[in-house]
Amino acid sequence: MKLTRVLKAAAIAAAALLPWAPTPGQAQEWRGWNIHAADYPNGRGMDRFGELVMQRTNNRIRMRTYHSAQLGQQDEAIQQMRLGSIDFANFNLSPFNNLAPSTQVVTLPFLFRNVEHMQRAIDGVAGEEIAKDLEQIGIIALAWYDAGARSLYTVRPVRTPADVRGMKIRVQTSDLWIDLMRAMGANPTPLPFGEVFTSLQSGVIDGAENNWPSYESTRHFEVARFYTTTEHSNVPEVLAVGVQRWRRLNEQERNILRDAARESAAFQRQLWAEREQVSRRRVEAAGVTVIEITDRSPWAQLMEPVYQKYTGNNPRLSGMVQRIRELP
């Protein structure tokens, strides 16, 4: 009898660890992760996604997004999605560079000519390849959000690559980003995003790099008063669902999620373009010096070692680069 009770208790405990599988028609409560504030274009895009899914499934799938990294930082959230404790999320692709090889391609510096070129690539050939790699690590890509062109902002003026030499520039925790900054001649300094303001203020770093809305919304412009439009990177972001949730959906539900994700992406991209203009006007009004780079070729020429290291010996990745460059 005692053994029977022990086995029964063990079975209950094991069942509790298994992914929850609702019965047909039963409501599902989904948890979503977002690093940005709720009113940021990405936050509003994710909320739109959730609303559309709930409407079109008659509330069988109820989505709640936890904004402002309430469920952890991005590296933690990626692991939680792979384990099944986060159901959907909006991720930057750079932290996937060491997990999904094709994400390295869209992270390569000076690859995209402009926003339209990036969107054609990620909605087509680049997105298809990245989606394959993400699925291999338990993440289903549904749509692609804009994240803006990233540029340098620093405590002293930067007009040419020579001006960056020796400067301590904050980068994301990624080998490719470290090599990118080294190619510029900078001293790359990986730091959590939340530490950038105080690190600029205290002199731990001399600058960072990001898009207009991030530069403005974090108030980094108060401690780094020079913004140089290198636009060295324009990495899209993914709106994704965990593979454990995905496998439990029927085809009709999957189509609902795909359509809702694409509609939310169109909405987010429009909001993003508007927000970029607003953010730039705000920092210029605050007295930031904007240094416009019209000829990026001197910067791009420094990146050949980066391309060689990350795609030179991989026909698949070098082929992706070529196809992206050939897009009209």
Side-chain angles (χ1 to χ4, degrees), residues 61-275:
I61 299 177
R62 294 200 282 253
M63 294 185 154
R64 178 181 176 186
T65 301
Y66 292 82
H67 301 286
S68 301
Q70 293 178 61
L71 302 179
Q73 295 302 310
Q74 177 151 300
D75 289 346
E76 299 167 329
I78 290 170
Q79 291 307 314
Q80 289 184 65
M81 176 172 277
R82 296 177 72 185
L83 292 170
S85 56
I86 285 177
D87 302 304
F88 66 104
N90 163 219
F91 292 128
N92 184 282
L93 290 177
S94 295
F96 288 101
N97 286 171
N98 297 329
L99 297 171
S102 58
T103 61
Q104 294 178 4
V105 172
V106 294
T107 314
L108 287 168
F110 304 100
L111 175 64
F112 300 115
R113 297 186 296 273
N114 48 43
V115 173
E116 292 75 22
H117 181 212
M118 180 275 292
Q119 290 177 350
R120 285 195 296 275
I122 198 64
D123 290 339
V125 59
E128 292 167 3
E129 292 296 325
I130 291 170
K132 292 176 187 176
D133 282 358
L134 290 178
E135 186 169 0
Q136 291 298 312
I137 62 169
I139 293 171
I140 304 296
L142 295 180
W144 310 97
Y145 283 3
D146 279 2
R150 299 173 74 100
S151 292
L152 290 170
Y153 51 91
T154 51
V155 297
R156 56 181 183 270
V158 169
R159 293 183 173 85
T160 69
D163 296 329
V164 188
R165 288 179 194 144
M167 293 182 78
K168 299 185 294 272
I169 305 295
R170 181 267 174 181
V171 294
Q172 301 173 70
T173 306
S174 160
D175 292 343
L176 191 150
W177 277 95
I178 290 170
D179 290 335
L180 185 163
M181 280 300 153
R182 282 180 178 154
M184 285 189 183
N187 180 9
T189 308
L191 283 174
F193 189 56
E195 296 179 15
V196 174
F197 186 97
T198 55
S199 297
L200 286 164
Q201 193 174 42
S202 63
V204 171
I205 56 175
D206 303 307
E209 52 78 49
N210 220 311
N211 52 57
W212 286 110
S214 293
Y215 177 56
E216 174 261 325
S217 64
T218 55
R219 307 197 72 80
H220 290 176
F221 66 89
E222 294 179 355
V223 285
R225 305 288 289 169
F226 300 92
Y227 192 95
T228 304
T229 62
T230 51
E231 297 186 356
H232 49 270
S233 177
N234 198 336
V235 182
E237 301 196 348
V238 64
L239 177 61
V241 170
V243 72
Q244 294 185 42
R245 277 292 192 189
W246 187 253
R247 286 173 178 165
R248 290 183 233 130
L249 300 176
N250 59 44
E251 195 57 34
Q252 181 185 22
E253 291 167 333
R254 290 179 179 182
N255 288 333
I256 287 172
L257 262 69
R258 289 190 189 101
D259 290 343
R262 293 189 190 106
E263 290 178 41
S264 82
F267 177 63
Q268 187 270 347
R269 289 175 178 182
Q270 178 184 351
L271 293 176
W272 185 268
E274 295 168 357
R275 177 62 185 271

Side-chain angles (χ1 to χ4, degrees), residues 263-316:
E263 290 178 41
S264 82
F267 177 63
Q268 187 270 347
R269 289 175 178 182
Q270 178 184 351
L271 293 176
W272 185 268
E274 295 168 357
R275 177 62 185 271
E276 280 191 322
Q277 295 176 12
V278 169
S279 293
R280 176 165 183 165
R281 287 197 297 268
R282 285 176 179 169
V283 300
E284 287 179 326
V288 165
T289 299
V290 178
I291 301 168
E292 294 281 3
I293 304 297
T294 55
D295 180 9
R296 293 180 178 81
S297 57
W299 301 79
Q301 288 167 8
L302 298 173
M303 300 300 135
E304 186 56 35
V306 178
Y307 277 75
Q308 184 59 36
K309 178 177 178 178
Y310 289 94
T311 68
N313 297 319
N314 188 317
R316 179 192 175 208

